[in-house]
Amino acid sequence: MTSRKLPPGKLVIASHNAGKVKEIRALLAPFGIEPVSAGEIGLPEPEETGTTFAENALLKAHASAQGSGLPALADDSGLCVAALGGAPGVYTADWAEKQAFEGGPGRDWYMAMGKVEGKLAELGPDTDRSAYFTCTLALAWPDGHSEVFEGRVNGTLSWPPRGTLGFGYDPVFVPLGREQSFAELDPAEKHAMSHRADAFAKLVSAVF
Ligand code: IMP
């Protein structure tokens, strides 16, 4: 089946995550697209009630397309750790959510990385530390049409966290074949190999 093409013009980035919006803007820059973020135009953030990355990405993209009357692009992504049976997976952002006694509400990525590390430590020193980031991009139009693209980057988890670039779990993720964490790599290098770049390359060849 051929994909619907995306003409130049406005596209809503259906995310309230500043790190993701920044990366998606950079990836869209060469295609004559005018990205506007859902936050900038006052669209509410829908609750992510899906149990898969694709369900959540579609939910966010459709909500923004309906709310704005424009095509909308959503990203649902996460970290999947082999020894933890794929966790935190779709709950990657939730693991960073602070409880009231931790000073919440709000997100603390260092606490989330610590939780992952704590669970690996419980499994012993020889535990498999392989993990991957996955990214599902959903593109939705106001008439209800949608397209879905998936990308992935394999790597290992290191401890303690290293680097100040990027966002989320970047300081503990070392992509395969590299020694630096995603938070130590130049953003252009991360963009060239990330799960988001992989999904994006599939989107680009389908819709532009
Ligand atoms: P969601 O897609 O909004 O549910 O959130 C997924 C979470 O996965 C993000 O908030 C990040 O913490 C994490 N994540 C996704 N992509 C990356 C990345 O490129 N680097 C680091 N963390 C990421």
Side-chain angles (χ1 to χ4, degrees):
M1 210 177 69
T2 53
S3 300
R4 186 185 287 188
K5 300 294 172 197
L6 187 64
K10 282 200 168 131
L11 173 73
V12 179
I13 306 176
S15 177
H16 290 251
N17 176 327
K20 277 189 194 174
V21 170
K22 190 170 165 206
E23 289 195 3
I24 294 171
R25 274 186 198 280
L27 288 161
L28 281 171
F31 300 100
I33 295 291
E34 290 172 58
V36 285
S37 80
E40 271 163 26
I41 55 173
L43 293 173
E45 199 168 8
E47 222 185 307
E48 295 185 26
T49 51
T51 55
T52 63
F53 292 105
E55 273 180 68
N56 282 335
L58 282 166
L59 206 137
K60 291 185 272 190
H62 282 302
S64 281
Q66 297 301 317
S68 65
L70 292 166
L73 176 65
D75 163 318
D76 202 58
S77 45
L79 178 72
C80 301
V81 183
L84 305 182
V90 283
Y91 305 107
T92 299
D94 299 341
W95 281 32
E97 220 55 73
K98 287 190 286 187
Q99 304 299 311
F101 72 87
E102 292 161 327
R107 286 178 179 172
D108 181 339
W109 300 107
Y110 277 81
M111 178 186 80
M113 291 184 275
K115 268 187 208 169
V116 171
E117 185 59 26
K119 289 192 184 293
L120 285 177
E122 279 170 22
L123 298 174
D126 298 326
T127 302
D128 174 12
R129 301 186 63 88
S130 60
Y132 64 90
F133 273 125
T134 180
C135 170
T136 301
L137 292 174
L139 192 53
W141 279 259
D143 68 359
H145 181 80
S146 60
E147 308 268 349
V148 171
F149 308 92
E150 285 172 12
R152 169 172 171 157
V153 59
N154 293 315
T156 54
L157 295 178
S158 74
W159 193 259
R162 287 186 273 133
T164 54
L165 305 170
F167 66 99
Y169 294 71
D170 279 343
V172 289
F173 185 81
V174 178
L176 219 62
R178 301 302 300 256
E179 288 184 357
Q180 299 108 309
S181 75
F182 259 179
E184 292 177 313
L185 287 175
D186 184 81
E189 271 196 90
K190 177 184 172 188
H191 292 162
M193 67 170 87
S194 77
H195 48 314
R196 198 159 290 109
D198 185 26
F200 222 80
K202 292 172 187 167
L203 177 147
V204 165
S205 69
V207 308
F208 290 123

